[in-house]
Amino acid sequence: MNSSPIQLPPLCIRSLNDKVFEKKKAACRQIEIMTKEWNTLGCSDQIKELIAYFVQDFINNPQPNSKIGGLLALSSVAIALDKDSSLYIKDIIRPIFSCAYDCNRDVRYRALEALYNVVKCVRGRILIYLDEIFDTIIRMCEDSDLSIREASNLVDKLIKDIIIENSTFNVVTLVEIIRERIYALTPNTRKMILSWISFLDSVPDVDLLIFIQDILDGLLKISCDANLDIRRTAEAILREFFDKIKYEHEKVEFKPLIKILLIHVQTDNQLVQEISLQCDQDSNDKIDATLQKRNTEMAKNLNEDLMNLVTKFKYDTLMTQNGKPLESENFTFDNIHDKSITHNQEEQFKISRILIVLVNELELGPKSSNQTKVAILEWILQIYTNLEIDIDDQLQTRLFDVLLNTLPDSSENVVTMDLKVLGKVIFKNSNTEDNSRNCKKLIKPLVDLFYNNGNQIAKDRRAFIICQLCTIMDGQLVYISFSEILLNYDRKFVRSMVHTLNTILLTSKELNQLRIELKCIGRNRESIRLFTFLYKTWCHSAVSVVSLCLMTKCYRHASELIMHFGNLNITIDILMEIDQLIQLLESPIFTSLRLDLLDTDKQYYLRKSLQGLLMLLPQSETFRLLRKRLQCVPILEARSTKDDSSKTKDELSKQIDFKELFAYFVEAQKTQMG
């Protein structure tokens, strides 16, 4: 070893190299006293020479004992100089950084100790080395030695305190390090990274939202960590970001964010899918039930936030340009931020590939949980709603088939969402003229599904699907399409379907507008066209066509149909349908019908229709209900009964050929009996 150029006492040099720590400390006290004296006298050259000596002869020495002695000596110099140590910070801090990665455990520990002492003296001026300090802290938190990890945490806490005191630091470099380290798999590193993200987000002068695209992917991965505490922390940070985005979305570039979110949909990692698809289908019995419930709830909440990211800003960011609204043709999700983006698969974030992954998952059917299926369907809906897409015919056909096969699902939520997606797939980019054709594209395979899976899809499930279909599409268009398509099937199936459709028509709130339209019969041509169109299909269910006539106030024709029942084979099913109809006559939907019993122009044929129904029934509770109703009705003297010469009836008869309709009914019933 070289002799000291600054005439450091030989005993002090030997003590720094001694294995006994107390001797090293005694030497450091001497160094501290010497440094203070030189600093008071302004002997900066001697101080620099002293620091260089410790680096050359101790820090650069391969012996761990010497390195430790050098670290303690540098630490003593910094303590002696106190705030003035910032004048020599470069010469002091660099050797300490190099020792932090030493293979010897004791050297690493003393390096962190020295770093702590130096940082404590320099305070805010150390922030010019923040990126290197941060990198050191992150690396040391992975150390296998507990004491080193604890020392790293102490430095970490000190640095955070200094940052709060001093707002001037390089946040960009920090985010770059976070972005690199966020993919680490060790729990300690993930905890440290999350703590820094949370900390930086809490610093008033730091706007971490503008860096969200740099850390979102990593955060989503960490939110799937096996450690519950890590997952909860990541979830809280994600939720914080999502809440901020809702109010400060102008700071965010959504194209890269959506790319990240969609990529997570197609990951093979079960837990990542749990976040991006609400996937709670892991049935491993070893997983604690409470933890599994927590995972599912977390996945549900995060998935809602992720979905909001994709959807909300399609509308919020349709801002004005130069004080004028954007032209409607510019309202595409991509060109809000980058009008130069083309619509090939690469520029559309490989949408086809993503859809294939979603379709594959949806094809699992019962193997996937209901929450998973709903989440998958939500993603498909948002892709079709918010992205300009050009899907090849083969994938489009496969998607349609999978969606159709999902309709018999036992979950109403799945069925509802599935129908929404089907509607979006069918009607995307269509105009009014295409609506009728596109509606048939959906209803024809739906009828085939009902026909071919009659045992699997119960009648109440059919009714639910049809009701939901009428909420996402025009009810009148749906019913016209069903009426036209059903005529191509066997009569038994048609009768069953018509009964279902008629029950929905009479009872469902979703069909309120269609009922209003039908009740306007005689007032406009559309209502007449609708009535006659439905009538020809309804004829295959005798009771259903009677109820259609009663609802539309075609009482005379209803009475003629009922009188023809004597020529039909009255089955138990028909009696049950009559029973159901009479029960419905007491409902609010038929309030106007009951009041028509007091109208002199309408009472005769209405009363005749109701009495005809009464005669068809056996003497049951329903029989007594209708008889009691009729007993309450006074027999009025009609202005014209037998010739039905009221103005309304005359006008209706001129517009509707009831004789032709009656003949059609008779023929349809013959077919049913055959």
Side-chain angles (χ1 to χ4, degrees):
M1 181 176 292
N2 298 331
S3 60
S4 171
I6 42 84
Q7 297 180 350
L8 200 65
L11 180 61
C12 180
I13 296 173
R14 286 197 301 271
S15 296
L16 281 178
N17 282 292
D18 201 292
K19 293 182 179 180
V20 179
F21 186 70
E22 290 300 322
K23 291 184 178 181
K24 291 181 185 291
K25 286 178 65 178
C28 287
R29 283 193 288 271
Q30 284 185 280
I31 294 168
E32 197 172 329
I33 293 170
M34 182 186 299
T35 304
K36 283 182 179 180
E37 290 178 356
W38 285 345
N39 190 45
T40 302
L41 297 172
C43 302
S44 59
D45 290 340
Q46 284 90 334
I47 295 174
K48 287 182 179 180
E49 192 176 353
L50 181 64
I51 294 171
Y53 170 71
F54 289 139
V55 172
Q56 180 180 346
D57 283 45
F58 287 86
I59 298 295
N60 295 338
N61 192 304
Q63 295 299 320
N65 251 346
S66 295
K67 286 182 183 290
I68 293 171
L71 288 167
L72 292 172
L74 289 178
S75 182
S76 298
V77 170
I79 292 171
L81 293 172
D82 197 26
K83 293 181 180 180
D84 289 340
S85 58
S86 61
L87 300 173
Y88 311 92
I89 188 62
K90 181 179 179 180
D91 296 329
I92 294 174
I93 203 74
R94 293 292 185 191
I96 294 176
F97 285 144
S98 66
C99 289
Y101 305 109
D102 195 272
C103 60
N104 184 278
R105 174 261 173 206
D106 292 333
V107 173
R108 295 197 303 276
Y109 179 80
R110 295 303 172 185
L112 286 174
E113 184 180 64
L115 179 61
Y116 182 89
N117 288 327
V118 172
V119 170
K120 194 171 183 180
C121 294
V122 179
R123 304 299 292 184
R125 296 185 182 182
I126 198 66
L127 293 180
I128 60 174
Y129 297 101
L130 179 58
D131 53 337
E132 293 170 275
I133 295 174
F134 180 64
D135 193 48
T136 301
I137 294 170
I138 292 295
R139 289 177 182 273
M140 292 300 100
C141 76
E142 297 177 358
D143 201 282
S144 59
D145 189 275
L146 175 60
S147 59
I148 292 178
R149 295 199 301 271
E150 290 176 346
S152 176
N153 288 332
L154 288 174
V155 177
D156 174 72
K157 185 178 183 302
L158 178 59
I159 287 293
K160 287 175 180 173
D161 290 340
I162 292 172
I163 287 176
I164 293 174
E165 297 170 1
N166 304 269
S167 59
T168 56
F169 65 96
N170 192 346
V171 67
V172 176
T173 304
L174 269 186
V175 171
E176 288 177 356
I177 298 173
I178 289 174
R179 182 177 58 189
E180 293 173 4
R181 300 290 182 186
I182 202 168
Y183 296 102
L185 300 178
T186 58
N188 290 327
T189 302
R190 287 187 160 184
K191 288 178 182 179
M192 182 72 76
I193 287 291
L194 290 175
S195 74
W196 269 91
I197 293 174
S198 182
F199 169 71
L200 291 175
D201 193 43
S202 68
V203 176
D205 296 322
V206 176
D207 188 0
L208 205 57
L209 191 61
I210 62 178
F211 302 103
I212 181 65
Q213 69 187 56
D214 295 311
I215 59 177
L216 178 60
D217 181 63
L219 274 175
L220 286 170
K221 283 183 168 63
I222 293 178
S223 65
C224 305
D225 194 280
N227 185 295
L228 179 59
D229 290 335
I230 293 176
R231 285 202 308 276
R232 285 178 173 173
T233 304
E235 177 193 2
I237 292 172
L238 282 167
R239 190 169 304 287
E240 183 84 16
F241 279 129
F242 293 144
D243 288 341
K244 285 187 177 183
I245 289 173
K246 292 176 185 177
Y247 301 103
E248 303 176 63
H249 55 265
E250 67 281 354
K251 298 179 180 178
V252 179
E253 281 289 336
F254 289 98
K255 183 166 71 73
L257 290 192
I258 294 169
K259 181 178 181 180
I260 292 168
L261 297 178
L262 293 179
I263 286 173
H264 276 269
V265 172
Q266 55 183 323
T267 180
D268 292 330
N269 187 302
Q270 176 73 15
L271 287 174
V272 171
Q273 287 187 342
E274 187 172 79
I275 299 302
S276 292
L277 291 176
Q278 293 186 21
C279 185
D280 67 338
Q281 63 195 43
D282 190 344
S283 58
N284 191 335
D285 294 336
K286 295 180 181 179
I287 296 179
D288 181 76
T290 304
L291 181 59
Q292 185 67 15
K293 181 179 178 181
R294 168 67 186 172
N295 289 348
T296 303
E297 185 63 27
M298 175 184 68
K300 176 183 176 183
N301 294 336
L302 282 178
N303 189 74
E304 290 174 357
D305 287 333
L306 296 179
M307 195 66 66
N308 287 337
L309 263 180
V310 177
T311 59
K312 177 179 174 61
F313 306 100
K314 178 183 179 182
Y315 308 101
D316 287 354
T317 54
L318 297 181
M319 313 292 285
T320 58
Q321 287 185 335
N322 300 322
K324 296 181 180 179
L326 293 168
E327 295 298 325
S328 59
E329 61 266 21
N330 292 330
F331 284 7
T332 63
F333 189 73
D334 290 309
N335 66 12
I336 290 172
H337 298 291
D338 187 356
K339 295 182 181 179
S340 65
I341 296 176
T342 60
H343 300 308
N344 56 45
Q345 287 186 349
E346 187 64 29
E347 292 295 337
Q348 294 180 79
F349 315 141
K350 301 179 181 177
I351 298 172
S352 294
R353 181 184 171 197
I354 294 164
L355 278 174
I356 289 171
V357 174
L358 293 171
V359 170
N360 288 342
E361 187 72 20
L362 197 59
E363 275 185 325
L364 294 175
K367 294 181 181 179
S368 294
S369 70
N370 292 334
Q371 282 186 312
T372 300
K373 285 180 277 192
V374 169
I376 292 169
L377 291 166
E378 284 178 341
W379 276 108
I380 296 174
L381 180 63
Q382 301 314 324
I383 289 173
Y384 267 84
T385 301
N386 296 313
L387 299 177
E388 290 296 320
I389 57 177
D390 184 17
I391 306 301
D392 65 82
D393 293 340
Q394 186 177 359
L395 177 56
Q396 189 91 337
T397 301
R398 183 177 171 224
L399 172 61
F400 185 82
D401 291 341
V402 172
L403 292 171
L404 197 66
N405 291 331
T406 305
L407 283 176
D409 195 273
S410 59
S411 167
E412 292 187 353
N413 291 334
V414 172
V415 174
T416 300
M417 184 55 63
D418 192 59
L419 285 169
K420 288 181 180 179
V421 177
L422 275 168
K424 179 59 69 174
V425 171
I426 287 291
F427 285 95
K428 185 171 179 63
N429 299 326
S430 67
N431 53 44
T432 305
E433 296 178 358
D434 296 329
N435 283 347
S436 178
R437 183 175 70 255
N438 287 333
C439 187
K440 290 174 185 175
K441 279 185 183 178
L442 174 55
I443 291 179
K444 175 62 170 69
L446 181 59
V447 173
D448 287 337
L449 189 70
F450 291 158
Y451 183 73
N452 296 321
N453 299 274
N455 295 331
Q456 292 180 338
I457 306 177
K459 290 182 179 180
D460 59 342
R461 176 58 56 172
R462 288 186 198 171
F464 176 77
I465 291 173
I466 294 169
C467 283
Q468 293 303 311
L469 198 60
C470 291
T471 63
I472 63 174
M473 298 167 60
D474 178 62
Q476 180 174 325
L477 188 59
V478 170
Y479 264 63
I480 288 176
S481 299
F482 266 113
S483 298
E484 183 177 348
I485 291 168
L486 280 172
L487 292 176
N488 299 313
Y489 292 78
D490 69 65
R491 300 312 175 209
K492 183 178 180 181
F493 174 70
V494 176
R495 181 182 179 279
S496 173
M497 281 298 301
V498 167
H499 176 68
T500 300
L501 288 165
N502 187 66
T503 302
I504 297 170
L505 177 61
L506 295 179
T507 60
S508 175
K509 62 181 180 180
E510 288 84 359
L511 274 297
N512 184 55
Q513 188 58 43
L514 182 57
R515 286 194 295 271
I516 292 173
E517 185 68 33
L518 285 168
K519 288 178 181 179
C520 293
I521 189 169
R523 299 179 192 172
N524 59 64
R525 291 182 179 179
E526 182 60 29
S527 63
I528 292 174
R529 187 186 75 85
L530 180 60
F531 171 78
T532 54
F533 205 99
L534 295 182
Y535 184 97
K536 292 184 178 180
T537 306
W538 259 236
C539 279
H540 296 281
S541 173
V543 179
S544 294
V545 76
V546 167
S547 67
L548 179 65
C549 291
L550 291 176
M551 185 178 65
T552 55
K553 300 183 184 294
C554 298
Y555 299 140
R556 179 175 181 173
H557 190 64
S559 68
E560 292 171 350
L561 295 176
I562 292 171
M563 293 303 294
H564 186 73
F565 274 44
N567 301 318
L568 305 181
N569 179 23
I570 304 300
T571 63
I572 295 296
D573 288 340
I574 290 178
L575 290 176
M576 291 177 64
E577 289 174 16
I578 294 173
D579 188 287
Q580 183 184 32
L581 174 58
I582 291 172
Q583 296 286 344
L584 286 172
L585 292 176
E586 297 295 319
S587 69
I589 291 174
F590 283 103
T591 299
S592 62
L593 178 144
R594 297 195 298 273
L595 291 174
D596 282 345
L597 287 168
L598 302 177
D599 189 310
T600 55
D601 290 331
K602 299 174 182 177
Q603 188 195 71
Y604 178 79
Y605 285 110
L606 175 54
R607 189 181 185 103
K608 183 178 179 181
S609 298
L610 298 180
Q611 287 177 327
L613 292 175
L614 191 65
M615 293 302 104
L616 290 170
L617 282 176
Q619 295 191 31
S620 60
E621 188 63 35
T622 306
F623 174 91
R624 288 186 284 274
L625 178 67
L626 181 55
R627 183 180 64 178
K628 189 173 181 180
R629 169 66 68 182
L630 290 172
Q631 287 173 347
C632 297
V633 179
I635 299 176
L636 305 174
E637 184 179 349
R639 290 193 291 268
S640 177
T641 55
K642 294 182 180 181
D643 60 357
D644 190 36
S645 60
S646 69
K647 182 178 180 181
T648 302
K649 293 295 182 183
D650 283 342
E651 290 179 354
L652 198 56
S653 297
K654 290 177 183 178
Q655 298 177 74
I656 303 175
D657 190 342
F658 284 108
K659 289 184 179 181
E660 180 185 343
L661 293 180
F662 184 79
Y664 196 96
F665 169 76
V666 172
E667 186 62 31
Q669 288 303 308
K670 283 182 180 179
T671 305
Q672 286 286 339
M673 292 173 66

